[in-house]
Amino acid sequence: MQTGRQGHQEHVASYYAATRNDHRQWPELSGELDADVCVIGGGFTGLNTAINLAQAGYKVVLLEANRIGWGASGRNGGQLIRGIGHDTSQFARYIGEEGVRELDRMGIEAVQLVRDRVERFDIDCDLTWGYCDLATKARHLKGFEEDAQHLANLGYEHELTLVAREDIHTVVGSDRYIGGMIDMGSGHLHPLNLALGEARAAASLGVALFEHSRVTHIDYGERVEVTTAHGRVSSDYLVIGCNAYLNELNPELGGKVLPAGSYILATQVLEKRLRQRLLPQNMAVCDQNVALDYYRLSADGRLLFGGACNYSGRDPRDIKAFMLPKLLRVFPELAGTAIEFQWGGMIGIGANRLPQIGRLADHPNVFYAQAYSGHGLNATHMAGKLVAEAIKGESRGFDLFSRVPHMTFPGGPALRSPLLALGMLWHRMKDLL
Ligand SMILES: Cc1cc2nc3c(=O)[nH]c(=O)nc-3n(C[C@H](O)[C@H](O)[C@H](O)COP(=O)(O)OP(=O)(O)OC[C@H]3O[C@@H](n4cnc5c(N)ncnc54)[C@H](O)[C@@H]3O)c2cc1C
């Protein structure tokens, strides 16, 4: 495993890369192209913006620096969970109470967007319904009751069930938890195969996809021109969907996102009886801590156990050594079970944890969506919808998001990660209370 922000996290050690169901390669950009819209980034944000625009008749070019799904979209926990942002009521002063309710409704609709993609384009990505929030503290249980009430008020149509301590083993075979809340409207899937399926869908709609085509320079103007090693694209609109991997391509946007590493272990394929003991209902689960544990079973019966954030911008030298104690704290009986894959990726954290969806003030034909703060599988799909609507000239949802201001982290790239580390240390201390 290599380290360093650019070179790390090759797909080679990822369970998802080993089980990708599409090996198609897209060409490298070479020469000059004209488009209505150029999209930078081949993750869920870029792919979904491209799909929506192509469906509306726009000529779209998508440029990916590595492979499609190389970033967080092809490495994540695969947990498809309702909701966008965190504690959305804090934004009422910018968008009003009704605006907050609309954000919350979009957080529900966003899961439906993923479901629609999978169904409409027949994407084979192991989509499975069932998710459970897990409590380790009494205040988490109280939070679940409030969430359930809030979702009911919003008209949430999926089954929600509070799970008492004595029943928690029907969801997860661990003594760590004192209760939970099951949500049958959330679930899990194979994220890389979803991204690859969406790339296929985009291509079928006429999007020109390019891999190994890193944008190295942007010339802003009425026509935006982007440059790669061997090519150039000129377009009326530009969409930046690089999230935690943006680096210095646009320092203004980069300054609002802190990259933080999150890591996943995949065990060997577990014997059926053991699987049924660990996660009897095959649900995805998360605890409620800031540096949370998130885990689930893969379609072939492995435990995929993710967690922890590392704020240094570098991977731990040994991901297994870093993560295994966390896994064994939850499932001590897995001591001795082989770990067959280990990998990590960069989460893009924003100061207020609301995804940043907007357009550049000085260059209104340049749009962006980023900073999903580790909860982006659904939110990227909503962002793709809203950015495409805004380019078409009609989006109330986009306007709501763009009215919320986002702090620029002080200190420039070198200081951002240490600052985040300090901030998160504070939150972790609060977890202990
Ligand atoms: C380990 C991990 C676990 C996670 N688990 C979950 C989960 O279970 N559920 C959930 O909802 N969310 C989860 N997330 C978050 C979620 O994966 C992300 O929010 C989401 O995938 C972001 O998608 P994106 O398209 O915006 O960014 P990315 O998928 O990161 O894509 C950005 C792309 O931009 C490309 N790029 C960067 N610079 C350039 C350039 N100059 N030119 C061209 N291309 C460029 C990169 O190569 C990259 O492929 C997790 C994230 C990580 C890292």
Side-chain angles (χ1 to χ4, degrees), residues 199-321:
R200 258 191 333 268
S204 74
L205 293 164
V207 175
L209 297 153
F210 296 94
E211 294 182 319
H212 303 297
S213 302
R214 176 178 298 282
V215 173
T216 52
H217 182 74
I218 303 173
D219 276 322
Y220 298 96
E222 226 163 274
R223 294 278 290 172
V224 194
E225 309 233 328
V226 304
T227 311
T228 65
H230 303 292
R232 222 171 144 73
V233 179
S234 167
S235 57
D236 292 328
Y237 299 98
L238 179 70
V239 179
I240 300 178
C242 302
N243 199 28
Y245 296 95
L246 178 68
N247 293 308
E248 293 308 296
L249 187 62
N250 181 298
E252 180 189 338
L253 294 180
K256 294 180 192 295
V257 184
L258 285 163
S262 186
Y263 303 94
I264 303 181
L265 299 180
T267 64
Q268 65 188 83
V269 173
L270 303 176
E271 179 242 314
K272 193 168 171 204
R273 268 200 318 209
L274 176 57
R275 280 184 338 238
Q276 283 173 342
R277 206 158 58 238
L278 301 184
L279 288 161
Q281 301 186 52
N282 192 17
M283 289 182 181
V285 299
C286 280
D287 71 27
Q288 305 303 298
N289 297 318
V290 174
L292 79 174
D293 294 336
Y294 52 91
Y295 49 95
R296 66 186 182 93
L297 295 170
S298 62
D300 63 357
R302 301 166 190 276
L303 179 71
L304 303 190
F305 188 94
C309 276
N310 168 307
Y311 311 107
S312 65
R314 293 190 174 276
D315 289 338
R317 212 166 276 148
D318 183 343
I319 292 175
K320 181 177 157 193

Side-chain angles (χ1 to χ4, degrees), residues 40-341:
I40 312 178
F44 294 134
T45 298
L47 290 166
N48 282 284
T49 308
I51 289 174
N52 290 317
L53 287 168
Q55 282 174 325
Y58 286 77
K59 184 178 173 193
V60 184
V61 170
L62 183 147
L63 302 174
E64 163 55 47
N66 300 286
R67 304 287 314 276
I68 293 295
W70 177 91
S73 299
R75 303 155 186 268
N76 63 57
Q79 307 218 353
L80 176 61
I81 308 170
R82 63 169 197 277
I84 290 185
H86 177 73
D87 185 16
T88 46
S89 60
Q90 63 180 299
F91 307 118
R93 62 192 157 131
Y94 306 115
I95 57 176
E97 299 294 340
E98 183 48 33
V100 169
R101 268 190 295 281
E102 281 183 55
L103 283 186
D104 291 342
R105 276 189 222 110
M106 283 192 266
I108 295 171
E109 187 196 336
V111 173
Q112 184 61 35
L113 295 179
V114 178
R115 187 196 289 257
D116 291 347
R117 281 277 181 268
V118 171
E119 287 174 2
R120 157 86 171 76
F121 295 104
D122 197 17
I123 299 175
D124 177 8
C125 62
D126 310 329
L127 178 56
T128 305
W129 295 105
Y131 164 77
C132 188
D133 281 309
L134 296 172
T136 50
K137 299 205 162 34
R139 67 180 152 86
H140 299 154
L141 295 175
K142 191 160 175 292
F144 297 161
E145 282 172 22
E146 288 164 7
D147 286 351
Q149 187 55 55
H150 183 62
L151 286 163
N153 293 344
L154 287 168
Y156 194 60
E157 59 184 22
H158 301 283
E159 191 185 330
L160 294 171
T161 314
L162 294 170
V163 186
R165 180 178 213 144
E166 55 272 23
D167 298 325
I168 199 66
H169 278 238
T170 64
V171 178
V172 54
S174 169
D175 294 331
R176 245 181 103 62
Y177 308 107
I178 61 167
M181 183 173 80
I182 293 174
D183 170 11
M184 293 311 293
S186 297
H188 54 104
L189 51 73
H190 188 306
L192 181 59
N193 284 341
L194 174 62
L196 298 174
E198 290 181 340
R200 258 191 333 268
S204 74
L205 293 164
V207 175
L209 297 153
F210 296 94
E211 294 182 319
H212 303 297
S213 302
R214 176 178 298 282
V215 173
T216 52
H217 182 74
I218 303 173
D219 276 322
Y220 298 96
E222 226 163 274
R223 294 278 290 172
V224 194
E225 309 233 328
V226 304
T227 311
T228 65
H230 303 292
R232 222 171 144 73
V233 179
S234 167
S235 57
D236 292 328
Y237 299 98
L238 179 70
V239 179
I240 300 178
C242 302
N243 199 28
Y245 296 95
L246 178 68
N247 293 308
E248 293 308 296
L249 187 62
N250 181 298
E252 180 189 338
L253 294 180
K256 294 180 192 295
V257 184
L258 285 163
S262 186
Y263 303 94
I264 303 181
L265 299 180
T267 64
Q268 65 188 83
V269 173
L270 303 176
E271 179 242 314
K272 193 168 171 204
R273 268 200 318 209
L274 176 57
R275 280 184 338 238
Q276 283 173 342
R277 206 158 58 238
L278 301 184
L279 288 161
Q281 301 186 52
N282 192 17
M283 289 182 181
V285 299
C286 280
D287 71 27
Q288 305 303 298
N289 297 318
V290 174
L292 79 174
D293 294 336
Y294 52 91
Y295 49 95
R296 66 186 182 93
L297 295 170
S298 62
D300 63 357
R302 301 166 190 276
L303 179 71
L304 303 190
F305 188 94
C309 276
N310 168 307
Y311 311 107
S312 65
R314 293 190 174 276
D315 289 338
R317 212 166 276 148
D318 183 343
I319 292 175
K320 181 177 157 193
F322 180 64
M323 289 296 298
L324 195 56
K326 296 171 191 296
L327 186 158
L328 294 180
R329 207 170 52 194
V330 176
F331 295 124
E333 67 176 300
L334 293 185
T337 301
I339 301 298
E340 294 192 346
F341 301 92

Side-chain angles (χ1 to χ4, degrees), residues 369-389:
Q370 60 181 22
Y372 304 97
S373 299
H375 184 178
L377 219 166
N378 66 339
T380 46
H381 287 69
M382 179 54 73
K385 175 177 182 240
L386 300 182
V387 170
E389 283 175 358

